[in-house]
Short mmCIF file of all heavy atoms in Angstrom, two decimals:
data_model
loop_
_atom_site.label_atom_id
_atom_site.label_comp_id
_atom_site.label_asym_id
_atom_site.label_seq_id
_atom_site.Cartn_x
_atom_site.Cartn_y
_atom_site.Cartn_z
N MET A 29 307.87 86.24 -28.34
CA MET A 29 307.47 85.14 -29.19
C MET A 29 306.07 85.18 -29.66
O MET A 29 305.78 84.71 -30.72
CB MET A 29 307.70 83.86 -28.29
CG MET A 29 307.29 82.53 -28.91
SD MET A 29 308.71 82.26 -30.12
CE MET A 29 308.09 80.70 -30.81
N LYS A 30 305.19 85.77 -28.82
CA LYS A 30 303.83 85.90 -29.25
C LYS A 30 303.68 86.85 -30.40
O LYS A 30 302.87 86.62 -31.35
CB LYS A 30 303.00 86.26 -28.06
CG LYS A 30 301.51 86.15 -28.22
CD LYS A 30 300.78 86.41 -26.86
CE LYS A 30 299.40 86.23 -27.07
NZ LYS A 30 298.61 86.56 -25.87
N LYS A 31 304.35 87.99 -30.39
CA LYS A 31 304.17 89.00 -31.49
C LYS A 31 304.57 88.54 -32.76
O LYS A 31 303.92 88.76 -33.79
CB LYS A 31 304.92 90.27 -30.96
CG LYS A 31 304.64 91.42 -31.91
CD LYS A 31 305.07 92.69 -31.33
CE LYS A 31 304.69 93.85 -32.25
NZ LYS A 31 304.77 95.14 -31.65
N PRO A 32 305.83 87.90 -32.98
CA PRO A 32 306.25 87.28 -34.34
C PRO A 32 305.23 86.38 -34.82
O PRO A 32 304.92 86.26 -36.02
CB PRO A 32 307.59 86.78 -34.09
CG PRO A 32 308.08 87.37 -32.78
CD PRO A 32 306.92 87.71 -32.04
N LEU A 33 304.68 85.51 -33.97
CA LEU A 33 303.57 84.52 -34.48
C LEU A 33 302.42 85.22 -34.92
O LEU A 33 301.83 84.83 -35.98
CB LEU A 33 303.29 83.61 -33.24
CG LEU A 33 302.33 82.40 -33.54
CD1 LEU A 33 302.88 81.53 -34.52
CD2 LEU A 33 301.98 81.75 -32.28
N ILE A 34 301.85 86.25 -34.24
CA ILE A 34 300.81 87.00 -34.72
C ILE A 34 301.09 87.73 -36.02
O ILE A 34 300.22 87.66 -36.96
CB ILE A 34 300.30 88.05 -33.58
CG1 ILE A 34 299.74 87.28 -32.48
CG2 ILE A 34 299.26 89.02 -34.20
CD1 ILE A 34 299.51 88.15 -31.23
N VAL A 35 302.25 88.35 -36.16
CA VAL A 35 302.65 88.82 -37.47
C VAL A 35 302.63 87.87 -38.56
O VAL A 35 302.24 88.08 -39.73
CB VAL A 35 304.04 89.62 -37.28
CG1 VAL A 35 304.59 90.04 -38.60
CG2 VAL A 35 303.91 90.75 -36.32
N LEU A 36 303.23 86.74 -38.29
CA LEU A 36 303.34 85.64 -39.33
C LEU A 36 301.91 85.21 -39.74
O LEU A 36 301.58 85.08 -40.81
CB LEU A 36 304.08 84.38 -38.76
CG LEU A 36 304.27 83.24 -39.71
CD1 LEU A 36 305.04 83.65 -40.91
CD2 LEU A 36 304.96 82.07 -38.91
N ILE A 37 301.10 84.98 -38.77
CA ILE A 37 299.60 84.62 -38.96
C ILE A 37 299.02 85.74 -39.90
O ILE A 37 298.21 85.44 -40.84
CB ILE A 37 298.81 84.34 -37.74
CG1 ILE A 37 299.34 83.05 -37.15
CG2 ILE A 37 297.37 84.20 -38.05
CD1 ILE A 37 298.76 82.79 -35.79
N GLY A 38 299.16 87.06 -39.58
CA GLY A 38 298.56 88.09 -40.31
C GLY A 38 299.11 88.09 -41.71
O GLY A 38 298.26 88.33 -42.67
N VAL A 39 300.39 87.82 -41.92
CA VAL A 39 300.96 87.84 -43.37
C VAL A 39 300.38 86.78 -44.09
O VAL A 39 300.06 86.88 -45.22
CB VAL A 39 302.57 87.74 -43.29
CG1 VAL A 39 303.03 87.53 -44.61
CG2 VAL A 39 303.07 89.00 -42.66
N VAL A 40 300.24 85.55 -43.52
CA VAL A 40 299.66 84.45 -44.22
C VAL A 40 298.28 84.74 -44.50
O VAL A 40 297.79 84.42 -45.73
CB VAL A 40 299.92 83.15 -43.32
CG1 VAL A 40 299.06 82.00 -43.88
CG2 VAL A 40 301.32 82.65 -43.11
N LEU A 41 297.42 85.20 -43.62
CA LEU A 41 296.05 85.55 -43.97
C LEU A 41 296.04 86.60 -45.08
O LEU A 41 295.08 86.50 -45.90
CB LEU A 41 295.40 86.06 -42.69
CG LEU A 41 295.01 84.93 -41.68
CD1 LEU A 41 294.45 85.48 -40.44
CD2 LEU A 41 294.08 83.94 -42.19
N PHE A 42 296.82 87.55 -45.05
CA PHE A 42 296.82 88.62 -46.04
C PHE A 42 297.09 88.03 -47.45
O PHE A 42 296.38 88.27 -48.35
CB PHE A 42 297.80 89.68 -45.67
CG PHE A 42 297.79 90.78 -46.72
CD1 PHE A 42 296.84 91.77 -46.86
CD2 PHE A 42 298.93 90.93 -47.61
CE1 PHE A 42 296.91 92.64 -47.81
CE2 PHE A 42 299.03 91.91 -48.47
CZ PHE A 42 297.98 92.82 -48.57
N ASN A 43 298.19 87.24 -47.53
CA ASN A 43 298.54 86.55 -48.73
C ASN A 43 297.47 85.63 -49.36
O ASN A 43 297.23 85.40 -50.45
CB ASN A 43 299.79 85.80 -48.60
CG ASN A 43 300.89 86.81 -48.53
OD1 ASN A 43 300.88 87.94 -48.96
ND2 ASN A 43 302.09 86.36 -47.92
N THR A 44 296.65 84.96 -48.40
CA THR A 44 295.65 84.00 -48.89
C THR A 44 294.33 84.74 -49.35
O THR A 44 293.64 84.36 -50.19
CB THR A 44 295.26 83.01 -47.85
OG1 THR A 44 294.83 83.73 -46.63
CG2 THR A 44 296.46 82.10 -47.51
N THR A 45 294.06 85.95 -48.68
CA THR A 45 292.95 86.64 -49.15
C THR A 45 293.11 87.65 -50.27
O THR A 45 292.23 88.15 -50.90
CB THR A 45 292.37 87.50 -48.04
OG1 THR A 45 293.27 88.40 -47.43
CG2 THR A 45 291.86 86.67 -46.82
N LEU A 46 294.36 87.89 -50.64
CA LEU A 46 294.69 88.97 -51.64
C LEU A 46 294.16 88.41 -52.99
O LEU A 46 293.48 89.30 -53.70
CB LEU A 46 296.15 89.10 -51.80
CG LEU A 46 296.68 90.26 -52.65
CD1 LEU A 46 296.10 91.56 -52.02
CD2 LEU A 46 298.13 90.35 -52.57
N PRO A 47 294.32 87.18 -53.41
CA PRO A 47 293.76 86.82 -54.79
C PRO A 47 292.09 86.89 -54.78
O PRO A 47 291.60 87.30 -55.90
CB PRO A 47 294.15 85.32 -54.97
CG PRO A 47 295.27 85.18 -54.05
CD PRO A 47 295.07 86.13 -52.92
N VAL A 48 291.51 86.72 -53.69
CA VAL A 48 290.02 86.87 -53.64
C VAL A 48 289.63 88.30 -53.91
O VAL A 48 288.68 88.51 -54.60
CB VAL A 48 289.45 86.39 -52.28
CG1 VAL A 48 288.04 86.60 -52.22
CG2 VAL A 48 289.74 84.94 -52.11
N LEU A 49 290.35 89.27 -53.26
CA LEU A 49 290.07 90.59 -53.58
C LEU A 49 290.48 91.16 -54.97
O LEU A 49 289.87 92.17 -55.35
CB LEU A 49 290.92 91.51 -52.49
CG LEU A 49 290.50 91.13 -51.04
CD1 LEU A 49 291.53 92.00 -50.14
CD2 LEU A 49 289.16 91.50 -50.78
N ALA A 50 291.25 90.45 -55.63
CA ALA A 50 291.71 90.92 -56.99
C ALA A 50 290.68 90.78 -58.03
O ALA A 50 290.61 91.38 -58.98
CB ALA A 50 293.01 90.11 -57.45
N GLY A 51 289.86 89.73 -57.83
CA GLY A 51 288.73 89.50 -58.76
C GLY A 51 289.09 88.34 -59.82
O GLY A 51 290.11 87.72 -59.73
N PRO A 52 288.17 88.28 -60.85
CA PRO A 52 288.51 87.14 -61.71
C PRO A 52 289.67 87.48 -62.76
O PRO A 52 289.95 88.62 -62.99
CB PRO A 52 287.17 87.05 -62.51
CG PRO A 52 286.54 88.31 -62.38
CD PRO A 52 287.07 88.93 -61.05
N ASN A 53 290.23 86.43 -63.09
CA ASN A 53 291.39 86.52 -64.10
C ASN A 53 290.71 86.41 -65.56
O ASN A 53 290.55 85.34 -66.07
CB ASN A 53 292.32 85.42 -63.95
CG ASN A 53 293.63 85.60 -64.79
OD1 ASN A 53 293.56 86.36 -65.72
ND2 ASN A 53 294.66 84.72 -64.51
N TRP A 54 290.46 87.62 -66.18
CA TRP A 54 289.72 87.64 -67.34
C TRP A 54 290.54 87.04 -68.55
O TRP A 54 290.01 86.44 -69.43
CB TRP A 54 289.24 89.13 -67.76
CG TRP A 54 288.26 89.56 -66.76
CD1 TRP A 54 288.37 90.45 -65.73
CD2 TRP A 54 286.91 89.09 -66.71
NE1 TRP A 54 287.17 90.64 -65.10
CE2 TRP A 54 286.23 89.79 -65.55
CE3 TRP A 54 286.15 88.13 -67.35
CZ2 TRP A 54 284.94 89.58 -65.25
CZ3 TRP A 54 284.85 87.90 -66.98
CH2 TRP A 54 284.34 88.66 -65.97
N ALA A 55 291.93 87.20 -68.47
CA ALA A 55 292.74 86.66 -69.61
C ALA A 55 292.57 85.14 -69.50
O ALA A 55 292.45 84.52 -70.70
CB ALA A 55 294.10 87.09 -69.43
N LEU A 56 292.59 84.52 -68.41
CA LEU A 56 292.45 83.05 -68.34
C LEU A 56 291.02 82.59 -68.87
O LEU A 56 290.91 81.68 -69.53
CB LEU A 56 292.66 82.53 -66.86
CG LEU A 56 292.64 81.07 -66.61
CD1 LEU A 56 293.70 80.42 -67.34
CD2 LEU A 56 292.68 80.83 -65.10
N ILE A 57 289.93 83.39 -68.42
CA ILE A 57 288.66 82.97 -68.87
C ILE A 57 288.53 83.05 -70.43
O ILE A 57 287.95 82.29 -71.09
CB ILE A 57 287.58 83.92 -68.22
CG1 ILE A 57 287.65 83.66 -66.75
CG2 ILE A 57 286.23 83.81 -68.86
CD1 ILE A 57 286.78 84.58 -65.92
N GLU A 58 289.14 84.20 -71.00
CA GLU A 58 289.10 84.33 -72.45
C GLU A 58 289.84 83.21 -73.19
O GLU A 58 289.44 82.73 -74.22
CB GLU A 58 289.63 85.67 -72.88
CG GLU A 58 288.59 86.81 -72.55
CD GLU A 58 287.28 86.61 -73.24
OE1 GLU A 58 287.26 86.27 -74.45
OE2 GLU A 58 286.27 86.88 -72.62
N ASP A 59 290.97 82.88 -72.66
CA ASP A 59 291.75 81.76 -73.19
C ASP A 59 290.94 80.48 -73.13
O ASP A 59 290.93 79.63 -74.10
CB ASP A 59 293.06 81.55 -72.43
CG ASP A 59 294.13 82.68 -72.66
OD1 ASP A 59 293.85 83.33 -73.70
OD2 ASP A 59 295.03 82.73 -71.94
N GLY A 60 290.24 80.27 -72.03
CA GLY A 60 289.36 79.07 -71.96
C GLY A 60 288.26 78.98 -73.00
O GLY A 60 287.97 78.01 -73.66
N ARG A 61 287.67 80.26 -73.26
CA ARG A 61 286.60 80.39 -74.27
C ARG A 61 287.14 80.07 -75.64
O ARG A 61 286.48 79.41 -76.41
CB ARG A 61 285.91 81.63 -74.23
CG ARG A 61 285.09 81.92 -72.86
CD ARG A 61 284.46 83.32 -72.91
NE ARG A 61 283.71 83.45 -71.71
CZ ARG A 61 283.32 84.64 -71.33
NH1 ARG A 61 283.67 85.72 -71.97
NH2 ARG A 61 282.60 84.64 -70.18
N LYS A 62 288.32 80.62 -75.88
CA LYS A 62 288.86 80.47 -77.25
C LYS A 62 289.23 78.98 -77.43
O LYS A 62 289.03 78.39 -78.57
CB LYS A 62 290.19 81.29 -77.43
CG LYS A 62 289.95 82.67 -77.50
CD LYS A 62 291.23 83.47 -77.59
CE LYS A 62 290.96 84.97 -77.70
NZ LYS A 62 292.19 85.75 -77.67
N ALA A 63 289.70 78.23 -76.41
CA ALA A 63 290.01 76.92 -76.45
C ALA A 63 288.83 75.93 -76.77
O ALA A 63 288.87 75.14 -77.61
CB ALA A 63 290.75 76.41 -75.30
N GLN A 64 287.79 76.40 -76.03
CA GLN A 64 286.46 75.63 -76.19
C GLN A 64 285.95 75.91 -77.64
O GLN A 64 285.44 74.84 -78.29
CB GLN A 64 285.51 76.11 -75.21
CG GLN A 64 284.17 75.25 -75.25
CD GLN A 64 283.21 75.75 -74.30
OE1 GLN A 64 283.44 76.65 -73.60
NE2 GLN A 64 282.13 74.93 -74.12
N ALA A 65 286.05 77.09 -78.17
CA ALA A 65 285.45 77.31 -79.55
C ALA A 65 286.33 76.59 -80.56
O ALA A 65 285.91 76.07 -81.51
CB ALA A 65 285.61 78.80 -79.78
N ALA A 66 287.64 76.48 -80.32
CA ALA A 66 288.60 75.67 -81.29
C ALA A 66 288.16 74.28 -81.19
O ALA A 66 288.10 73.54 -82.27
CB ALA A 66 290.00 75.99 -80.85
N ARG A 67 287.84 73.78 -80.00
CA ARG A 67 287.40 72.29 -79.96
C ARG A 67 286.22 72.09 -80.65
O ARG A 67 285.97 70.99 -81.41
CB ARG A 67 287.39 71.87 -78.39
CG ARG A 67 288.76 71.54 -77.84
CD ARG A 67 288.53 70.80 -76.55
NE ARG A 67 287.62 71.52 -75.59
CZ ARG A 67 287.98 72.33 -74.59
NH1 ARG A 67 289.33 72.57 -74.49
NH2 ARG A 67 287.06 72.84 -73.85
N MET A 68 285.20 72.99 -80.45
CA MET A 68 283.99 72.90 -81.18
C MET A 68 284.13 73.00 -82.73
O MET A 68 283.53 72.18 -83.45
CB MET A 68 283.03 74.06 -80.65
CG MET A 68 282.68 74.03 -79.29
SD MET A 68 281.42 72.65 -78.85
CE MET A 68 280.02 73.39 -79.47
N HIS A 69 284.96 73.85 -83.17
CA HIS A 69 285.25 73.98 -84.58
C HIS A 69 285.92 72.77 -85.09
O HIS A 69 285.59 72.26 -86.22
CB HIS A 69 286.05 75.27 -84.88
CG HIS A 69 286.36 75.39 -86.36
ND1 HIS A 69 285.49 75.69 -87.27
CD2 HIS A 69 287.61 75.32 -87.05
CE1 HIS A 69 286.03 75.73 -88.46
NE2 HIS A 69 287.24 75.52 -88.34
N GLN A 70 286.77 72.17 -84.44
CA GLN A 70 287.59 70.97 -84.74
C GLN A 70 286.65 69.87 -84.74
O GLN A 70 286.78 69.05 -85.76
CB GLN A 70 288.68 70.79 -83.76
CG GLN A 70 289.73 69.77 -84.20
CD GLN A 70 290.85 69.71 -83.17
OE1 GLN A 70 290.58 69.72 -82.02
NE2 GLN A 70 292.08 69.58 -83.66
N GLY A 71 285.63 69.76 -83.99
CA GLY A 71 284.66 68.70 -83.90
C GLY A 71 283.81 68.71 -85.17
O GLY A 71 283.60 67.62 -85.86
N SER A 72 283.38 70.02 -85.66
CA SER A 72 282.57 69.94 -86.83
C SER A 72 283.41 69.72 -88.09
O SER A 72 282.91 69.01 -89.04
CB SER A 72 281.90 71.47 -86.96
OG SER A 72 282.97 72.39 -87.08
N SER A 73 284.62 70.05 -88.04
CA SER A 73 285.60 69.77 -89.15
C SER A 73 285.70 68.24 -89.21
O SER A 73 285.87 67.64 -90.40
CB SER A 73 286.96 70.45 -89.01
OG SER A 73 286.79 71.88 -89.07
N LYS A 74 285.86 67.60 -88.19
CA LYS A 74 286.07 66.07 -88.12
C LYS A 74 284.84 65.38 -88.76
O LYS A 74 285.00 64.46 -89.55
CB LYS A 74 286.30 65.66 -86.76
CG LYS A 74 287.65 65.85 -86.23
CD LYS A 74 287.87 65.27 -84.91
CE LYS A 74 289.23 65.50 -84.35
NZ LYS A 74 289.43 64.96 -82.96
N GLU A 75 283.51 65.94 -88.48
CA GLU A 75 282.36 65.37 -89.05
C GLU A 75 282.38 65.50 -90.64
O GLU A 75 282.05 64.56 -91.25
CB GLU A 75 281.20 65.95 -88.37
CG GLU A 75 280.87 65.69 -86.93
CD GLU A 75 279.71 66.39 -86.36
OE1 GLU A 75 279.01 67.21 -87.10
OE2 GLU A 75 279.60 66.45 -85.11
N ALA A 76 282.76 66.67 -90.98
CA ALA A 76 282.81 66.92 -92.39
C ALA A 76 283.84 65.88 -93.12
O ALA A 76 283.63 65.30 -94.14
CB ALA A 76 283.04 68.28 -92.82
N THR A 77 284.94 65.79 -92.43
CA THR A 77 286.04 64.86 -92.97
C THR A 77 285.63 63.42 -92.91
O THR A 77 285.83 62.69 -93.93
CB THR A 77 287.35 65.03 -92.11
OG1 THR A 77 287.66 66.48 -92.11
CG2 THR A 77 288.43 64.19 -92.66
N THR A 78 284.82 63.12 -91.98
CA THR A 78 284.41 61.65 -91.83
C THR A 78 283.40 61.43 -92.99
O THR A 78 283.53 60.43 -93.60
CB THR A 78 283.65 61.46 -90.59
OG1 THR A 78 284.65 61.74 -89.41
CG2 THR A 78 283.13 60.02 -90.37
N GLN A 79 282.52 62.33 -93.25
CA GLN A 79 281.56 62.24 -94.41
C GLN A 79 282.36 62.10 -95.73
O GLN A 79 282.03 61.18 -96.65
CB GLN A 79 280.54 63.32 -94.39
CG GLN A 79 279.63 63.30 -93.26
CD GLN A 79 278.74 64.59 -93.27
OE1 GLN A 79 279.00 65.51 -94.00
NE2 GLN A 79 277.78 64.62 -92.38
N GLN A 80 283.34 62.90 -95.95
CA GLN A 80 284.21 62.91 -97.17
C GLN A 80 284.82 61.46 -97.25
O GLN A 80 284.92 60.84 -98.32
CB GLN A 80 285.12 63.97 -97.12
CG GLN A 80 284.46 65.29 -97.34
CD GLN A 80 285.55 66.39 -97.28
OE1 GLN A 80 286.69 66.19 -96.92
NE2 GLN A 80 285.13 67.60 -97.55
N GLN A 81 285.41 60.97 -96.18
CA GLN A 81 286.06 59.71 -96.14
C GLN A 81 285.08 58.52 -96.42
O GLN A 81 285.34 57.70 -97.15
CB GLN A 81 286.84 59.56 -94.75
CG GLN A 81 287.65 58.40 -94.67
CD GLN A 81 288.96 58.53 -95.55
OE1 GLN A 81 289.34 59.70 -95.73
NE2 GLN A 81 289.55 57.50 -95.99
N ASP A 82 283.96 58.71 -95.84
CA ASP A 82 282.84 57.59 -96.14
C ASP A 82 282.54 57.66 -97.68
O ASP A 82 282.39 56.56 -98.26
CB ASP A 82 281.62 57.93 -95.33
CG ASP A 82 281.89 57.59 -93.84
OD1 ASP A 82 282.87 56.93 -93.55
OD2 ASP A 82 281.07 57.97 -93.01
N SER A 83 282.37 58.83 -98.27
CA SER A 83 282.11 58.90 -99.58
C SER A 83 283.16 58.37 -100.55
O SER A 83 282.88 57.56 -101.52
CB SER A 83 281.80 60.26 -100.11
OG SER A 83 281.60 60.53 -101.46
N LYS A 84 284.49 58.53 -100.14
CA LYS A 84 285.55 58.02 -100.87
C LYS A 84 285.57 56.59 -100.82
O LYS A 84 285.91 55.72 -101.79
CB LYS A 84 286.88 58.65 -100.39
CG LYS A 84 287.00 60.09 -100.84
CD LYS A 84 288.45 60.68 -100.29
CE LYS A 84 288.52 62.07 -100.65
NZ LYS A 84 289.81 62.52 -100.13
N ASN A 85 285.33 55.96 -99.58
CA ASN A 85 285.45 54.57 -99.29
C ASN A 85 284.31 53.83 -100.22
O ASN A 85 284.51 52.77 -100.73
CB ASN A 85 285.20 54.25 -97.79
CG ASN A 85 286.49 54.53 -97.10
OD1 ASN A 85 287.47 54.62 -97.63
ND2 ASN A 85 286.26 54.70 -95.73
N ALA A 86 282.99 54.50 -100.20
CA ALA A 86 282.03 53.88 -101.02
C ALA A 86 282.35 53.85 -102.54
O ALA A 86 282.13 52.81 -103.21
CB ALA A 86 280.74 54.67 -100.79
N LYS A 87 283.01 54.88 -103.05
CA LYS A 87 283.32 54.93 -104.36
C LYS A 87 284.50 53.85 -104.67
O LYS A 87 284.43 53.18 -105.76
CB LYS A 87 283.94 56.29 -104.83
CG LYS A 87 282.90 57.38 -104.83
CD LYS A 87 283.48 58.68 -105.25
CE LYS A 87 282.40 59.81 -105.28
NZ LYS A 87 283.07 61.13 -105.49
N MET A 88 285.39 53.69 -103.71
CA MET A 88 286.54 52.73 -103.92
C MET A 88 285.99 51.28 -103.86
O MET A 88 286.29 50.50 -104.82
CB MET A 88 287.55 52.93 -102.82
CG MET A 88 288.82 52.13 -103.09
SD MET A 88 290.13 52.39 -101.91
CE MET A 88 289.50 51.98 -100.32
N GLN A 89 284.97 51.07 -103.05
CA GLN A 89 284.41 49.73 -102.94
C GLN A 89 283.60 49.33 -104.20
O GLN A 89 283.64 48.26 -104.78
CB GLN A 89 283.51 49.59 -101.76
CG GLN A 89 284.25 49.43 -100.47
CD GLN A 89 283.33 49.45 -99.21
OE1 GLN A 89 282.14 49.61 -99.36
NE2 GLN A 89 283.91 49.28 -98.10
N LYS A 90 282.91 50.38 -104.77
CA LYS A 90 282.16 50.26 -106.07
C LYS A 90 283.14 49.88 -107.16
O LYS A 90 282.91 49.08 -108.02
CB LYS A 90 281.41 51.46 -106.31
CG LYS A 90 280.56 51.35 -107.62
CD LYS A 90 279.85 52.68 -107.90
CE LYS A 90 279.20 52.60 -109.26
NZ LYS A 90 278.52 53.88 -109.58
N MET A 91 284.30 50.68 -107.28
CA MET A 91 285.25 50.46 -108.25
C MET A 91 285.90 49.12 -108.10
O MET A 91 286.16 48.32 -109.13
CB MET A 91 286.35 51.53 -108.10
CG MET A 91 287.42 51.53 -109.25
SD MET A 91 288.62 52.67 -109.12
CE MET A 91 289.52 52.17 -107.66
N MET A 92 286.11 48.61 -106.91
CA MET A 92 286.78 47.34 -106.70
C MET A 92 285.84 46.21 -107.18
O MET A 92 286.24 45.24 -107.80
CB MET A 92 287.15 47.10 -105.16
CG MET A 92 288.23 47.91 -104.71
SD MET A 92 289.77 47.65 -105.55
CE MET A 92 290.23 46.10 -104.79
N LYS A 93 284.48 46.30 -106.94
CA LYS A 93 283.51 45.37 -107.40
C LYS A 93 283.48 45.24 -108.86
O LYS A 93 283.48 44.21 -109.46
CB LYS A 93 282.18 45.65 -106.84
CG LYS A 93 281.94 45.35 -105.38
CD LYS A 93 280.58 45.66 -104.78
CE LYS A 93 280.48 45.46 -103.33
NZ LYS A 93 279.14 45.79 -102.83
N GLU A 94 283.53 46.46 -109.48
CA GLU A 94 283.53 46.52 -110.97
C GLU A 94 284.78 45.86 -111.53
O GLU A 94 284.66 45.09 -112.52
CB GLU A 94 283.46 47.97 -111.47
CG GLU A 94 282.07 48.63 -111.30
CD GLU A 94 282.10 50.09 -111.57
OE1 GLU A 94 283.11 50.68 -111.94
OE2 GLU A 94 281.02 50.77 -111.34
N CYS A 95 285.94 46.14 -110.92
CA CYS A 95 287.14 45.52 -111.34
C CYS A 95 287.12 43.95 -111.18
O CYS A 95 287.45 43.21 -112.09
CB CYS A 95 288.39 46.08 -110.64
SG CYS A 95 288.89 47.70 -111.07
N GLN A 96 286.58 43.42 -110.17
CA GLN A 96 286.46 42.02 -109.84
C GLN A 96 285.58 41.39 -110.95
O GLN A 96 285.81 40.25 -111.37
CB GLN A 96 286.08 41.78 -108.45
CG GLN A 96 287.09 41.97 -107.43
CD GLN A 96 286.59 41.77 -106.01
OE1 GLN A 96 285.34 41.61 -105.74
NE2 GLN A 96 287.57 41.75 -105.12
N ALA A 97 284.48 42.15 -111.20
CA ALA A 97 283.56 41.67 -112.24
C ALA A 97 284.15 41.54 -113.68
O ALA A 97 284.07 40.57 -114.28
CB ALA A 97 282.36 42.47 -112.27
N MET A 98 285.02 42.51 -113.94
CA MET A 98 285.72 42.48 -115.16
C MET A 98 286.71 41.44 -115.20
O MET A 98 286.94 40.63 -116.26
CB MET A 98 286.42 43.92 -115.44
CG MET A 98 285.48 44.95 -115.86
SD MET A 98 286.12 46.65 -115.81
CE MET A 98 287.55 46.39 -116.89
N MET A 99 287.35 41.09 -114.14
CA MET A 99 288.38 40.09 -114.14
C MET A 99 287.72 38.67 -114.18
O MET A 99 288.31 37.71 -114.78
CB MET A 99 289.22 40.11 -112.84
CG MET A 99 290.25 41.33 -112.76
SD MET A 99 291.07 41.73 -111.20
CE MET A 99 291.62 40.12 -110.74
N ASN A 100 286.60 38.58 -113.65
CA ASN A 100 285.88 37.22 -113.69
C ASN A 100 285.34 36.94 -115.01
O ASN A 100 285.28 35.72 -115.34
CB ASN A 100 284.76 37.26 -112.65
CG ASN A 100 285.24 37.16 -111.14
OD1 ASN A 100 286.42 36.64 -110.94
ND2 ASN A 100 284.37 37.59 -110.26
N LYS A 101 285.05 37.82 -115.86
CA LYS A 101 284.55 37.69 -117.17
C LYS A 101 285.69 37.16 -118.13
O LYS A 101 285.49 36.42 -119.03
CB LYS A 101 284.09 39.00 -117.72
CG LYS A 101 282.76 39.49 -117.22
CD LYS A 101 282.24 40.69 -117.99
CE LYS A 101 280.98 41.18 -117.34
NZ LYS A 101 280.50 42.43 -117.98
N GLY A 102 286.86 37.68 -117.84
CA GLY A 102 288.03 37.30 -118.70
C GLY A 102 288.68 36.07 -118.53
O GLY A 102 288.64 34.93 -118.70
#
């Protein structure tokens, strides 16, 4: 009974220490870096889109005011 228990404990310890001995998972690290770069790029694109949208909104409001002024004259 004692020997199978020691073997079982040895197998469990070996299986838990094996990933530590393997080292870092470089593929996972590179995927994380790519995802972060994509988020950073997406954030800068959103800022540019927001500025374009603000410009369009300002032009539309100016046009609406001009149209209302023309309607009030008539």
Side-chain angles (χ1 to χ4, degrees):
M29 181 69 183
K30 192 174 183 182
K31 189 167 183 164
L33 183 61
I34 291 174
V35 171
L36 180 65
I37 290 172
V39 169
V40 169
L41 287 175
F42 178 74
N43 287 336
T44 56
T45 58
L46 194 59
V48 173
L49 298 174
N53 186 349
W54 292 108
L56 183 64
I57 292 170
E58 287 300 318
D59 288 344
R61 287 179 180 165
K62 288 178 186 176
Q64 183 179 11
R67 282 195 305 264
M68 295 287 283
H69 178 69
Q70 196 174 38
S72 64
S73 296
K74 284 183 181 178
E75 290 175 9
T77 303
T78 303
Q79 290 174 352
Q80 290 173 350
Q81 190 71 23
D82 290 344
S83 175
K84 287 179 183 178
N85 286 341
K87 288 178 184 177
M88 188 170 62
Q89 287 177 355
K90 180 181 174 186
M91 185 178 69
M92 290 297 286
K93 285 180 184 179
E94 290 172 356
C95 286
Q96 286 177 350
M98 288 170 52
M99 288 173 44
N100 287 337
K101 286 182 183 178

